[in-house]
Amino acid sequence: MYVLYEDSGNFKAEKIFSQSDSTMQVESESGKRSKIKSATVLFSFEQPDPATLLAQARALADTLEIDFLWECAPQEEFEAAAFAEDYFGHPPSAVEKAAAIFALNAAPAYFHRRGKGRYRPAPPDILQAALAAIQKKQQQAAQQQEWVDQMVAGQLPEAIAQVAGTLLTRPDKNSQQWKAFEAAVAQLGTTPEKLLLKLGAWPHPLALHRHRFLALNFPKGVAHPQQAVQAVGEDLPVAEVEAYSVDDTTTTEVDDALSVTTLPDGKTRIGIHIAAPGLLVTRGSGFDDLARARMSTVYMPGEKIPMLPDELIQAFSLDAGQLKPVLSLYVDTDLSSGEILGTETRVERLNVRENLRHNILDAAVTAEALDDPAAELPYGHWLRPLWQFAKHLGAQRDLVRGKTENNNRVEYSFYLDGPADDPDSPVRLVPRQRNAPLDKLVAEYMILANNLWGGLMAQHGVPGIYRSQQAGRVRMSTQALPHEAIGVPQYAWSTSPLRRYVDLINQWQILAAIEHGVSARLVAPFKPKDADLFAIIGAFDSQYAAWNEFQTAMERYWCLRWLQQHQVSTIEASVLRDDLVRLSGVPLVARVAGMPELERGQMVRLQILGYDELAIELECRYLDTIAT
């Protein structure tokens, strides 16, 4: 004796081995025995054998017209085996009963299950709605398959092209387009990025990289809404100093300038002057919302996305020949000893004499020329005192650090002679020594300001945002903790308020400290333990890291383009570790498969085999080791 029963939604037919009141043991054709509940059994039969029954019943079920079955079925709930007798017009065989059950069960739109072997025909209106839904689903499936076939054949369907911009960033995974795209990616065994490039959704990898970054971070575009900027600080005193700024040739946000004044007693007053947008941009204002949304200016070769609107930058950037409000830190010193005799912070207006540029001055401003009073040196009357004091500042930090700062690595500036979104724009890589005298000079004064102003906030109990390093870990917090790598007791970013939101916040706090003194902690924009300050630190860390990651990726991309534009086939590199090398003449780190084990710093020669502009990777092969 055999039984037809249901098991997890499937129909099975097997031989009865033994049975009790509520359970039975059945045996499959292979001899495997299973225990089933009697309640799952639809009916028992003697012939044919189970395998034959299932095969014949399924074949017969496929011939039954479901529309005719629905018309013949009673309108109330019925038992399938009984309905089979009415349908076939005679007591049904086991195959016919099973075929009826299979046919009814396979048409849920026509027949609703009401228990084991029991069904109820769908009412006409519900059936029509269900059939329309099935037809729509079939049409959608056919449409999706058509799109898949087109993409596999290398064609971009119009419907996919219309949503291509969202497929890598914010895809609607319930849409037909996404399902078709996902199926095409799987069928081709590729990646979404590679398929979209192959189909021409973007003309080149650069367009894809830029789109993905901008769509994720600037979905409404990079342009700020036009702003009206009111004049501020017109009643501030004018600084009677000769000040200059030093920046890269492409800099348009001039945050800082330096001045030197010889005092009547022969001592020297160094002025560190920082643009003061904090006088106009106040906490919770519209400008503050714009700055906080971006947290920092985004830099990439050939262009940048400013944190603040252009109108505001123009109003506060320390452009030569214009009176601009500044936050000035004056440091009185004895240049012979480097001792700091006194400091003072003022809010005033400054007229920068000239905006100097690294690319013009770097070659002439050498350590030898700075140290030799008789040597020819442009702006020597201004540069030499600054250099002399900067050397004292560096030496004092080295004492705290316990070692001399040694960073001779060459850095590169990227210049594009064409649009930043065109991969064929010629790219120039201009090397600059990281510890070049002019760089070192400016860096020392920015460190000094960030250190002293951080101490000023701590002294007045005004919370600020500090960067500290202890036990090798760099972190941002509201506590004035030491920065061991720099060698200062506290370090608060304060010198780039036009470009970094943290600096702008610290400027607000510094302004409150110098205006209100001991009561500043009660009136500063951020009071002690202000939870919003901690939220800003977390958001800034995350956003700043994202901006830096994109800048690094774009610099790697343009390095690949530079190598291709100069048709470089072999290149030297220095070993960093294992298979990781740093190329010479181009700021690019690459992995070289199969490279022998070599010491750090060892020079090798590589053959360039190819470029992956999508993964932004260089494919190269080790040729030989260069003898030292």
Side-chain angles (χ1 to χ4, degrees), residues 121-331:
D125 56 338
I126 295 178
L127 175 61
Q128 291 305 313
L131 292 178
I134 291 172
Q135 183 180 19
K136 181 179 179 181
K137 191 172 183 179
Q138 289 172 341
Q139 291 173 344
Q140 288 177 341
Q143 178 65 82
Q144 285 177 212
Q145 188 58 48
E146 181 182 346
W147 291 338
V148 171
D149 294 341
Q150 287 179 314
M151 286 185 281
V152 170
Q155 302 170 10
L156 180 63
E158 178 60 29
I160 303 298
Q162 290 174 356
V163 298
T166 67
L167 293 176
L168 299 180
T169 53
R170 295 183 175 89
D172 178 2
K173 295 190 175 182
N174 292 319
S175 67
Q176 288 181 261
Q177 292 94 326
W178 168 258
K179 293 174 182 177
F181 178 69
E182 189 177 38
V185 169
Q187 188 169 330
L188 290 169
T190 186
T191 65
E193 294 85 353
K194 288 182 178 179
L195 179 55
L196 287 170
L197 278 174
K198 177 184 176 183
L199 296 175
W202 283 279
H204 41 70
L206 176 60
L208 187 150
H209 291 310
R210 289 171 57 86
H211 165 81
R212 180 159 48 189
F213 174 76
L214 294 174
L216 284 173
N217 297 287
F218 299 93
K220 296 181 180 180
V222 300
H224 281 296
Q226 193 166 2
Q227 304 288 329
V229 178
Q230 67 187 66
V232 295
E234 293 183 344
D235 57 340
L236 293 173
V238 176
E240 299 296 333
V241 297
E242 182 181 345
Y244 299 87
S245 68
V246 183
D247 292 284
D248 187 76
T249 186
T250 59
T251 299
T252 56
E253 304 152 307
V254 182
D255 281 299
D256 55 85
L258 300 172
S259 67
V260 178
T261 305
T262 301
L263 301 176
D265 60 1
K267 301 299 188 290
T268 301
R269 175 168 292 168
I270 305 293
I272 305 168
H273 311 280
I274 306 301
L279 295 173
L280 177 63
V281 182
T282 55
R283 183 181 180 185
S285 66
F287 284 129
D288 179 31
D289 293 340
L290 295 175
R292 185 166 179 170
R294 298 191 177 185
M295 289 289 178
S296 169
T297 292
V298 184
Y299 293 95
M300 65 197 91
E303 65 178 325
K304 64 184 176 184
I305 304 172
M307 177 182 76
L308 295 171
D310 290 340
E311 300 92 335
L312 191 65
I313 293 172
Q314 291 168 11
F316 288 93
S317 177
L318 305 184
D319 300 328
Q322 303 176 33
L323 276 175
K324 298 293 181 69
V326 292
L327 182 63
S328 296
L329 172 64
Y330 289 101
V331 180

Side-chain angles (χ1 to χ4, degrees), residues 343-354:
T343 65
E344 182 185 2
T345 298
R346 304 177 192 166
V347 183
E348 55 191 3
R349 286 182 293 164
L350 178 72
N351 189 342
V352 172
R353 183 73 58 89
E354 192 173 346

Side-chain angles (χ1 to χ4, degrees), residues 452-521:
L452 295 181
W453 276 337
L456 176 70
M457 288 189 289
Q459 177 187 346
H460 288 81
V462 174
I465 299 178
Y466 295 86
R467 286 180 70 84
S468 63
Q469 186 197 50
Q470 294 177 295
R473 183 189 175 196
V474 177
R475 60 190 292 262
M476 298 188 77
S477 70
T478 59
Q479 293 180 288
L481 299 173
H483 197 299
E484 294 173 351
I486 296 177
V488 292
Q490 64 273 318
Y491 190 74
W493 269 345
S494 313
T495 56
S496 295
L498 293 174
R499 293 181 275 185
R500 278 193 307 242
Y501 189 59
V502 166
D503 300 56
L504 181 60
I505 286 178
N506 283 336
Q507 186 172 92
W508 293 340
Q509 303 297 88
I510 295 165
L511 288 169
I514 63 175
E515 181 180 356
H516 299 283
V518 294
S519 62
R521 62 195 305 273

Side-chain angles (χ1 to χ4, degrees), residues 80-92:
F83 173 62
E85 182 171 353
D86 293 338
Y87 180 80
F88 289 107
H90 57 79

Side-chain angles (χ1 to χ4, degrees), residues 392-405 486-487:
H392 286 301
L393 293 173
Q396 291 164 11
R397 292 193 302 106
D398 286 345
L399 282 176
V400 176
R401 287 156 32 87
K403 60 182 179 179
T404 301
E405 196 167 21
I486 296 177

